Amino acid sequence: MLTTPANGVLLLSSLSFLTIGIVGWLSVSNPDRSARIWLTAFVIAGITPLLGAGQPMDARAFVLSSAAMALSFALFGLSLKVLYNETIALRDYVVALAALSLVFMALLGYLFSNASIAAQATAFALGNGAAATWATVEAMSLAKRTRSRFASHLAVIFGIQAAVLALRIPQVWMGEEARLSDNDPFALSIVLALSLCGIVKAISYFALRLEEVRNQVQRDAELVQEQAKRLAQKNSELVSAMHAVPVACVVTDPALRVIYLNAEARRLIGASFDTDSKPRLSDWLIGFQDAQPVAVTSARHAFLKIPDSSNALAIEISVSGVDSETPGAQWVFLLKPTEHSQSVLESIWTSFVRREDRTALIIDEAGRAVSAQAGWGEVLGPYAVFDLPELRFGGITESRDAAGLDLWATLAKFTVDQTQIDRARGEQRNGRGSSLLLRDERGHQITCGFVPIKSPASKEQRWLVEIGWKAARAATSEVKPRPSREAQPEPMRVLSKAADVPEFLKKRPQTD
């Protein structure tokens, strides 16, 4: 193959184009349509000299190499056309290129068999020159659209290649009928120009795509800076408004993690706020642990208690969202202490997360239930003791049905161990929170947590009691009856055979 200098240049250009195409496919992890077409064009341009190799040139080599070069130029132009136009029907262009390629191959085959080298070279120059000119036009259109200097470079390079291919026509018609692979200085200059321009346009295209990525990163950075500026301005306005209002304001992110507390909120909650820990507001609201943010934001009343406090506080909640459609969305909670009236308690129970093995009650200082979470009867129903049972009419489901429940008598009915109940009752009289664990004779257990409720608007002391139920581990197995405390008669002892028996007992009574 290396019989002439032109053959050597064609071989080097073939290796260069194949390397660019293959390395491009391996380097680009997710190429778009333009990159895929561009790299395919380079692979086709790389195999073009290999198809035309051989001396003397036959019809197959001439037709295939000429058509492959024209197809590569057409694909380069198509790649630039689809770079910023996603609406192009790519299949229509592929079908058109395939049809034109077949027509061009048929024409070259006919000329190779029936015409001179001058006619063959003219057809070769016209076909490839037209494809290179189309690529030049697309590069110029891209340069106008993007204002990129690398797109202008591509337009110049394709224009040079089209002009070099056009020089083939005067060469052959002036009597210098030589193949491009022959040992001819003019043909060698044409091959060198095409090869060098092919390598340079690869650099310009990759620089164009790199500039595109850089511009996109710059636009994204400007967008982030603009959003950060807007968020900072929003936070500034928000903080100013929070300090201006005379109520407790808490700002959270969309996941309800606390971002900021104003002075009134710090006084109300009574604890220092660590900005690094960012607790969830739902963890401070009793009955909202593990609740979805939508449940918390829809609540109107709740009990507020932080881990450092021994008291719970009945509060009224007002919620508003700030830019809820952006990643920097925030919730603003206005917390206002309120009285624990019956209507407030009913509002609190509607937002409580309901569990089958847990319920909550509100009791007064005497241990009588004022209100309860709906479904409280599922836990305490079998042991409920009321002051006036004849007025209950069997209702133990709704919150209002718990009114008048004697909690201490109910717990005493569940277990015979009065010690824990007396201790918890004493703690309640002293105004301190406590907890107790009770078990019955079958192994079932009830846990109670007593939390005093503060209310600046009410002088009546109320207690929040969280009650949990847990069945025995072997609930399905037979439970042995508990021995009674009454004295049982001593069982009769059987006398052994070796014992001495009086003679009068050995005699049997005679029958008549």
Side-chain angles (χ1 to χ4, degrees):
M1 180 177 179
L2 301 179
T3 56
T4 63
N7 292 142
V9 174
L10 289 173
L11 177 60
L12 291 177
S13 63
S14 175
L15 295 177
S16 300
F17 295 160
L18 285 175
T19 302
I20 293 172
I22 296 174
V23 172
W25 277 111
L26 298 177
S27 300
V28 181
S29 58
N30 189 19
D32 56 9
R33 294 198 304 174
S34 176
R36 289 196 298 267
I37 297 173
W38 186 271
L39 296 175
T40 303
F42 258 105
V43 173
I44 295 175
I47 64 175
T48 297
L50 301 179
L51 294 174
Q55 291 292 339
M57 180 174 288
D58 55 5
R60 180 193 61 82
F62 175 70
V63 172
L64 292 179
S65 60
S66 301
M69 179 177 289
L71 180 61
S72 66
F73 278 116
L75 290 177
F76 284 133
L78 181 61
S79 173
L80 297 179
K81 188 176 185 64
V82 303
L83 182 56
Y84 296 110
N85 195 343
E86 295 293 335
T87 60
I88 290 179
L90 189 59
R91 180 179 299 178
D92 297 340
Y93 281 89
V94 172
V95 172
L97 289 178
L100 292 175
S101 299
L102 292 176
V103 172
F104 187 50
M105 292 173 64
L107 176 62
L108 292 176
Y110 174 79
L111 293 177
F112 190 88
S113 302
N114 302 287
S116 63
I117 296 179
Q120 300 170 24
T122 301
F124 167 82
L126 291 176
N128 284 274
T133 301
W134 184 64
T136 304
V137 173
E138 294 300 331
M140 294 174 62
S141 300
L142 181 63
K144 292 179 181 179
R145 184 184 305 175
T146 62
R147 302 293 181 183
S148 174
R149 61 184 183 276
F150 296 108
S152 301
H153 294 172
L154 289 173
V156 173
I157 293 171
F158 282 117
I160 292 175
Q161 288 183 314
V164 170
L165 288 170
L167 293 177
R168 182 73 171 144
I169 299 175
Q171 176 198 6
V172 298
W173 288 103
M174 286 188 304
E176 300 180 4
E177 299 180 356
R179 302 286 186 185
L180 289 180
S181 58
D182 292 342
N183 190 11
D184 181 79
F186 195 80
L188 178 60
S189 63
I190 294 177
V191 172
L192 281 172
L194 295 176
S195 301
L196 290 176
C197 289
I199 296 174
V200 173
K201 70 185 176 187
I203 300 174
S204 298
Y205 178 80
F206 290 129
L208 174 66
R209 302 308 302 273
L210 183 60
E211 185 181 41
E212 175 190 352
V213 173
R214 187 192 65 181
N215 293 337
Q216 182 64 35
V217 171
Q218 185 176 0
R219 288 193 296 268
D220 293 343
E222 292 176 354
L223 180 60
V224 171
Q225 292 177 357
E226 181 65 22
Q227 289 181 349
K229 183 178 179 180
R230 291 176 55 193
L231 183 61
Q233 183 179 2
K234 179 184 65 177
N235 288 339
S236 177
E237 297 173 354
L238 192 60
V239 170
S240 300
M242 287 175 60
H243 286 290
V245 295
V247 296
C249 293
V250 180
V251 180
T252 71
D253 61 9
L256 299 184
R257 288 187 295 268
V258 179
I259 299 176
Y260 189 82
L261 302 172
N262 71 342
E264 184 65 20
R266 294 175 185 272
R267 187 193 65 79
L268 178 66
I269 295 175
S272 60
F273 173 63
D274 184 7
T275 55
D276 295 332
S277 61
K278 288 188 177 180
R280 289 167 56 93
L281 180 62
S282 57
D283 296 335
W284 291 353
L285 302 178
I286 299 178
F288 288 92
Q289 288 80 4
D290 300 329
Q292 295 295 329
V294 64
V296 181
T297 55
S298 61
R300 291 294 172 263
H301 298 86
F303 289 124
L304 176 67
K305 182 182 181 301
I306 63 174
D308 298 337
S309 175
S310 59
N311 300 321
L313 181 65
I315 60 172
E316 180 182 352
I317 304 176
S318 299
V319 188
S320 61
V322 180
D323 288 349
S324 58
E325 300 298 330
T326 64
Q330 296 175 354
W331 291 105
V332 180
F333 290 83
L334 300 181
L335 309 180
K336 180 181 177 182
T338 185
E339 61 179 354
H340 38 63
S341 62
Q342 195 66 28
S343 60
V344 171
L345 295 179
E346 292 292 335
S347 176
I348 292 176
W349 298 137
T350 57
S351 304
F352 247 58
V353 178
R354 183 172 177 178
R355 295 172 54 182
E356 295 181 356
D357 59 345
R358 188 171 297 274
T359 190
L361 286 79
I362 304 297
I363 63 173
D364 57 14
E365 296 181 353
R368 300 301 191 275
V370 177
S371 182
Q373 182 184 8
W376 64 271
E378 298 175 2
V379 177
L380 295 180
Y383 318 101
V385 176
F386 295 92
D387 292 339
L388 300 174
E390 65 276 12
L391 301 179
R392 303 310 305 170
F393 300 108
I396 55 172
T397 302
E398 300 298 331
S399 299
R400 59 180 177 272
D401 297 332
L405 173 72
D406 189 341
L407 178 63
W408 304 118
T410 300
L411 297 178
K413 184 178 179 180
F414 172 77
T415 181
V416 296
D417 186 6
Q418 192 68 26
T419 305
Q420 293 293 331
I421 299 177
D422 294 340
R423 179 189 61 78
R425 196 168 187 176
E427 294 288 343
Q428 183 201 7
R429 291 195 186 100
N430 295 329
R432 296 192 298 267
S434 62
S435 61
L436 59 86
L437 172 63
L438 303 175
R439 290 187 176 89
D440 64 358
E441 60 184 7
R442 292 175 295 178
H444 304 318
Q445 68 181 32
I446 287 180
T447 58
C448 298
F450 297 84
V451 180
I453 302 175
K454 293 191 304 181
S455 176
S458 178
K459 297 181 179 179
E460 297 180 352
Q461 179 64 51
R462 293 289 184 265
W463 295 77
L464 172 65
V465 185
E466 294 184 274
I467 302 176
W469 161 266
K470 185 177 181 180
R473 293 183 178 180
T476 57
S477 61
E478 182 179 357
V479 181
K480 295 182 180 180
R482 186 174 179 178
S484 175
R485 295 183 179 180
E486 298 180 359
Q488 299 292 336
E490 184 179 356
M492 296 181 61
R493 292 177 296 177
V494 180
L495 298 177
S496 63
K497 294 182 179 181
D500 294 332
V501 180
E503 292 293 330
F504 71 93
L505 293 177
K506 294 181 180 179
K507 295 181 180 180
R508 296 182 179 179
Q510 295 180 355
T511 58
D512 295 335

